[in-house]
Amino acid sequence: MTLTNPALSPAYPELTRRLADLSAIEEAIGILQWDQEIVMPPGAADARARQIATLAVLHHERLTHPRHLELLSTLQGDGGGLDDVARANVREAARDHRRASRIPPDLVRAWGEATVKAHEIWVDARKHADFERFRPMLEHLVELAQRRAAAIDPHRTSYDVLLDEFEPGMPMARLDTVFAPLRDFLVPFIAQVKTATDLPDVGWLHTPVPVDLQREAGEAIVRAMGYDFHYGRLDVAVHPFCGGAGPTDVRITTRYKETHFTGSLMAMVHETGHALYEQGRNRDLGDQPVSRPRSYGIHESQSLLWEKQVGQGAPFWTWHFPRLQERYAFLRGLDFETFLFGLNRVDFGNFIRVDADELTYPLHVILRYEIERDLFSGKLAVRDLPEAWNAKMQAYLGITPPDARLGVLQDVHWSSGSFGYFPSYTLGAMYAAQFWRAALRDVPGIPDGLATGDVGPLVGWLRTHVHRPGSRWETDELVRRATGEALEPAHFIDYLRAKYTRLYRLPAGV
Ligand code: ZN
């Protein structure tokens, strides 16, 4: 693929230069944010906020510049001269422009100020488990988000516009049809899994392991998964994330807890899944929107596929368990089945989404989705959130949080104005199950490869069907080309039913 095809309109090279400049600014912001989390001295916080804000203003000015719109308009009207990749690039660039240019400057400023203040207020409210401290600010943020959505698209409901930012093409009407069957399966299924008895002991999970040893073992696994340290690095963060600056600078982080070595290990596997997506982007177009990861949900599918389908499965550990036993003496007496059960165990008493296991996690997400949906439709008021939250926790998971810190105040998302983000986590889990199924169908040798330490067949499939296409196609088309059909919740449900029926030795036909 080349950007200098003479058949292309002369407006196109000019647009791609402008888009490359925008990418450079985004990447610089990415490095400043990474630095802020990982190495910045605390005293530099104000200066850093100013630096990032200035770059964001420059980015907004360039993105909304009249020349930028002129080029987009010319090229959108000039479809005949562009090839498929260029057309997709223009489509993505036009979407960025539309979302940025429609929000009036006073609203951009009000949004920026409110979200900075809201974070501090939320931290304080969570510390005191006092929702009332956060309520007035949350009401303000919901109102601002509604105004923002109305500015971007007055013809759609505000929550649909907000959802579109994270998962284009997945409005409420469709989310309802994919989440409802999952919820209706999970609630009774989890209640049944909960009754299982005579299960393997998981006390070994909390055996202390020195942090140095954990880092060595984790790095070996990250490397074995195909992560390229020439284009990346691994550091420690309070909340693990994958950041950096484009496909040649992909930085992952984890956190270590001596008495929970599998926590840091699985966080590394998860972030490496994100990183392989970034490192696998089409580098020839690495500074163009068309090479970008398709959506938050598709990004999460890449981390979850490695963490769950691969990293909690028997083939992967057939290779890695003996190697881990060489490093960790206490694992030498543990049998393989007990080890696998520990990695996959369900924690029925857990209130916190980020700590949730694979089986209960979707209900944490569906709860938040239903609450946000009702909040933005006016069915639910902010003051009623704690009660609505607890009622759903009881109905879905059979537990009621003892206070707001373990309930409605636990997530950072609302304080940063990220309404509509949560569904991406569970969409990611659904896409992961569907991709995994298709990959095994296309390349039956994937499990044998994993069992002998060869990730090549799996990485190859992901590169071809997900990483390199990037944003070339819209999500449904990407998923259809990779798996033969659009998102189908039955694949995730079947996967969970089979896996946990086996692990918890439930009678067949549950
Ligand atoms: Zn993730």
Side-chain angles (χ1 to χ4, degrees):
M1 273 173 280
T2 164
L3 291 176
T4 52
N5 180 344
L8 298 182
S9 160
Y12 189 68
E14 188 181 345
L15 179 72
T16 59
R17 281 195 299 275
R18 297 188 64 92
L19 294 171
D21 288 348
L22 287 168
S23 281
I25 299 175
E26 288 158 22
E27 288 164 11
I29 292 175
I31 294 302
L32 288 176
Q33 285 170 335
W34 175 88
D35 175 272
Q36 182 171 8
E37 294 286 323
I38 309 299
V39 287
M40 186 188 82
D46 287 349
R48 179 55 44 88
R50 206 175 61 243
Q51 293 150 5
I52 292 177
T54 302
L55 286 175
V57 167
L58 283 176
H59 186 271
H60 191 262
E61 280 172 7
R62 292 190 76 91
L63 181 56
T64 57
H65 193 279
R67 181 63 185 153
H68 201 75
L69 177 59
E70 215 174 279
L71 292 167
L72 286 171
S73 305
T74 304
L75 290 163
Q76 281 178 302
D78 183 21
L82 300 183
D83 63 17
D84 285 354
V85 176
R87 263 207 303 281
N89 203 30
V90 171
R91 181 196 69 218
E92 293 302 307
R95 179 182 139 82
D96 290 348
H97 175 269
R98 200 162 52 240
R99 289 194 76 95
S101 63
R102 291 187 180 170
I103 305 171
D106 65 317
L107 191 51
V108 174
R109 197 166 34 247
W111 183 260
E113 284 167 8
T115 48
V116 170
K117 274 191 216 141
H119 185 76
E120 281 173 49
I121 294 171
W122 167 73
V123 169
D124 175 68
R126 188 172 71 150
K127 195 171 108 196
H128 293 92
D130 181 4
F131 181 72
E132 276 304 301
R133 292 184 194 220
F134 185 46
R135 183 183 54 79
M137 180 46 99
L138 185 55
E139 284 168 345
H140 180 53
L141 286 172
V142 169
E143 194 217 309
L144 286 179
Q146 256 152 351
R147 283 176 54 201
R148 232 172 124 243
I152 293 168
D153 188 347
H155 304 298
R156 300 174 71 196
T157 67
S158 54
Y159 193 50
D160 274 347
V161 177
L162 298 172
L163 286 168
D164 192 68
E165 185 166 349
F166 304 101
E167 205 61 28
M170 195 56 73
M172 278 183 284
R174 185 143 176 233
L175 273 178
D176 283 339
T177 67
V178 291
F179 281 174
L182 178 60
R183 180 197 59 206
D184 296 346
F185 158 71
L186 280 176
V187 172
F189 185 67
I190 290 171
Q192 177 138 20
V193 175
K194 208 172 180 171
T195 63
T197 51
D198 199 18
L199 299 167
D201 178 27
V202 294
W204 59 270
L205 281 167
H206 301 291
T207 308
V209 179
V211 166
D212 281 356
L213 269 186
Q214 290 193 37
R215 192 176 46 240
E216 274 175 40
E219 252 190 65
I221 285 181
V222 165
R223 233 178 256 284
M225 286 170 62
Y227 176 80
D228 188 343
F229 278 87
H230 186 63
Y231 299 105
R233 44 181 295 136
L234 170 64
D235 295 274
V236 177
V238 181
H239 302 288
F241 68 96
C242 171
T248 56
D249 187 350
V250 184
R251 307 178 185 198
I252 55 172
T253 61
T254 191
R255 62 179 159 202
Y256 299 101
K257 194 172 166 194
E258 276 213 348
T259 54
H260 191 208
F261 78 95
T262 58
S264 75
L265 185 60
M266 296 321 284
M268 281 190 251
V269 171
H270 181 98
E271 298 309 331
T272 302
H274 282 302
L276 289 174
Y277 190 7
E278 294 285 347
Q279 290 189 336
R281 286 165 57 181
N282 182 347
R283 284 193 202 158
D284 297 339
L285 297 167
D287 59 4
Q288 297 296 307
V290 71
S291 81
R292 282 189 314 218
R294 178 57 221 161
S295 71
Y296 283 68
I298 298 295
H299 225 308
E300 199 62 15
S301 79
Q302 297 308 290
S303 53
L304 287 175
L305 185 143
W306 282 97
E307 182 189 344
K308 309 298 186 189
Q309 276 82 10
V310 178
Q312 294 182 349
F316 184 77
W317 288 107
T318 299
W319 178 256
H320 286 291
F321 187 54
R323 282 152 186 82
L324 202 60
Q325 285 174 314
E326 279 170 27
R327 292 174 189 274
Y328 299 172
F330 71 92
L331 287 178
R332 286 172 203 159
L334 197 71
D335 71 86
F336 190 64
E337 290 305 316
T338 304
F339 176 75
L340 272 189
F341 180 82
L343 288 182
N344 287 285
R345 87 220 168 279
V346 182
D347 182 357
F348 301 100
N350 167 54
F351 298 109
I352 302 293
R353 176 186 57 84
V354 296
D355 296 335
D357 53 81
E358 182 180 32
L359 193 62
T360 58
Y361 198 108
L363 290 176
H364 289 269
V365 167
I366 292 171
L367 170 156
R368 285 155 177 79
Y369 162 67
E370 291 174 347
I371 283 178
E372 287 186 340
R373 181 191 65 193
D374 293 349
L375 191 59
F376 281 89
S377 74
K379 250 171 92 179
L380 189 66
V382 170
R383 68 172 174 280
D384 298 327
L385 286 187
E387 206 185 313
W389 184 287
N390 288 358
K392 281 188 190 287
M393 279 296 285
Q394 188 58 46
Y396 295 170
L397 289 162
I399 51 177
T400 298
D403 61 34
R405 193 173 55 84
L406 293 171
V408 69
L409 286 176
Q410 66 181 267
D411 295 302
V412 69
H413 300 58
W414 290 344
S415 74
S416 69
S418 295
F419 303 104
Y421 187 130
F422 289 118
S424 301
Y425 295 115
T426 290
L427 288 171
M430 290 175 153
Y431 289 130
Q434 193 164 328
F435 285 143
W436 177 245
R437 185 172 176 273
L440 295 185
R441 182 197 57 203
D442 293 352
V443 190
I446 285 174
D448 287 346
L450 293 172
T452 53
D454 179 10
V455 295
L458 175 59
V459 173
W461 190 92
L462 294 171
R463 289 271 189 261
T464 303
H465 293 91
V466 184
H467 301 174
R468 276 185 71 84
S471 290
R472 167 133 188 216
W473 298 295
E474 294 187 70
T475 312
D476 277 349
E477 181 66 6
L478 176 86
V479 175
R480 201 185 56 71
R481 282 171 180 265
T483 71
E485 58 189 330
L487 179 63
E488 172 48 63
H491 299 315
F492 185 47
I493 292 172
D494 290 347
Y495 156 80
L496 290 176
R497 186 194 285 114
K499 177 172 169 178
Y500 289 90
T501 295
R502 191 179 63 245
L503 268 169
Y504 280 79
R505 301 169 195 153
L506 302 180
V510 174

